[in-house]
Each structure stands twice: as structure tokens, then as C-alpha cells.
Amino acid sequence: MKLPGSLLSIATALWLFPTASYAADCTKANDVFPWGQDAVEMMWQLRAIGCGQHWWENWSLTGHICSNNYAPCWEGSWYFHNHPSQQSCWNVLEQIINQCMYAKWLPNGGTETRNGGTWSWGAEYSQGWFWNVPSGKRDLHSDEQNYNVTLLHTGEVVTPERVVHLDFDANGTVTRVAGHFVHQKDGTFKKEKSFKLPEAGDLA
């Protein structure tokens, strides 16, 4: 059967850009308190950095921000996995943010907040969320084994090719690369001295 032109165009678009037709799976509601828009803005910034470079790698990118440079503080993390194109990376992370990182008032006077979720289609996958750090202290990985990432949709534990931690000021600007580690062929991680941001210089 030959498809009409309009249906053929739609089918072709869905095949070329599956991110347009698949929804993100969100984590449970009201999982983070206090919830903060600063954390969401940081996730947008991390998306720009992550999809701006290394989008083809399977890697982990984490950020840390405090409102007004004091508590409350949040950390957020993205994991990038098998994106076939840079545009797909942009689309997938945008869907996770728009669908799974929000706060809204409910008719009963309560609120509903969500702090992240996952997106998958075939082998392509990303996950991202933020969490509250009441003490303001960085919740960084303390040893090599914790560089591994657990994929929420399958429970599989994977080793990223690259792990990057960034510090943000209260205005959402990256101030420091707190850590940059690259997985080596012998299974260890090598600490790099700097990390180049898209359209910016090295930050040590």
C-alpha cells in the first residue's frame, strides 16, 4: 500500500527524528525538597555544555549550584548514551527537562514537583535529575568504583567514557571544573587538568 504524501512525510520524520514522538519517563513526584528553579536552570546549562561537545560519547556530566551562593544547594547530573546525532542529544534532554523538571500548583492547593527522568529509544538513552544537598557540600564521587552509572530504565551498571564535575555560581555561570576523568583502556580513570567548554576557553 502506498502512503499518501502527508502520511509518508510524517512517517519519514518519525524515523529520522524519533525524539519528536517519544515521551520521557519521569521520576516520582515530590522527591526533592526544597525544589528550586536554580537547579532547573543549571540542568539547561549542563545540557548546553554536554550536547555542545562529546555528545557522541557515553559519559556523565554533573553540576553543583547554591542559591545566592548559600543553601539551599543542588547537584544535577546527565548521562549521555548512544546519541546518533547532536540534534538528537538536544531534543532528548529538552524533553526530559520540559516534561520532568517542573513545579506546579494543584487544584487542591498543593504542589507537584518533579526533578528528572529518563528517555530511551532503541539503544539511544539519556537520564538526568537534580537533588538537594542541604549541607551545601558537594556530593562528589569519592572513589573510582563510583564513576559507574546505573541506568534507571534497565538497572544495568555501565562505565562512562568520561566523567566531568562543574561548579556554578548563583547566576548559573560555570566557575570551576571540580573534576574531569577519562576512562583508560586498562580500566582506570585518568584525571585531566582542564575541560574545554563550548565556545569558551579551558577551565582548570
Side-chain angles (χ1 to χ4, degrees), residues 79-118:
Y79 180 67
F80 308 82
H81 191 78
N82 287 340
H83 290 300
S85 67
Q86 186 177 38
Q87 187 60 55
S88 181
C89 183
W90 291 118
N91 293 347
V92 168
L93 271 62
E94 180 179 8
Q95 286 200 27
I96 294 176
I97 295 175
N98 285 338
Q99 297 173 21
C100 300
M101 299 181 188
Y102 64 81
K104 68 179 181 181
W105 291 100
L106 301 177
N108 62 7
T111 58
E112 177 182 292
T113 64
R114 293 191 185 272
N115 66 307
T118 67

Side-chain angles (χ1 to χ4, degrees), residues 50-61:
C51 292
Q53 60 179 3
H54 301 296
W55 54 263
W56 59 90
E57 293 184 345
N58 299 334
W59 68 297
S60 176
L61 177 62

Side-chain angles (χ1 to χ4, degrees), residues 120-193:
S120 62
W121 188 77
E124 183 180 6
Y125 177 78
S126 268
Q127 62 185 33
W129 45 76
F130 60 86
W131 58 94
N132 182 244
V133 188
S135 66
K137 294 182 180 180
R138 171 176 288 282
D139 184 24
L140 276 178
H141 306 305
S142 58
D143 52 55
E144 196 168 286
Q145 66 180 6
N146 285 334
Y147 290 147
N148 290 337
V149 174
T150 300
L151 305 184
L152 191 64
H153 71 317
T154 63
E156 179 186 3
V157 177
V158 297
T159 300
E161 299 173 49
R162 185 184 308 273
V163 178
V164 177
H165 305 295
L166 303 176
D167 282 342
F168 290 77
D169 64 19
N171 297 318
T173 301
V174 177
T175 59
R176 181 172 81 99
V177 177
H180 180 196
F181 309 90
V182 177
H183 189 235
Q184 306 297 302
K185 291 182 178 180
D186 62 3
T188 63
F189 278 86
K190 178 183 177 182
K191 185 175 182 179
E192 300 291 332
K193 294 182 178 179

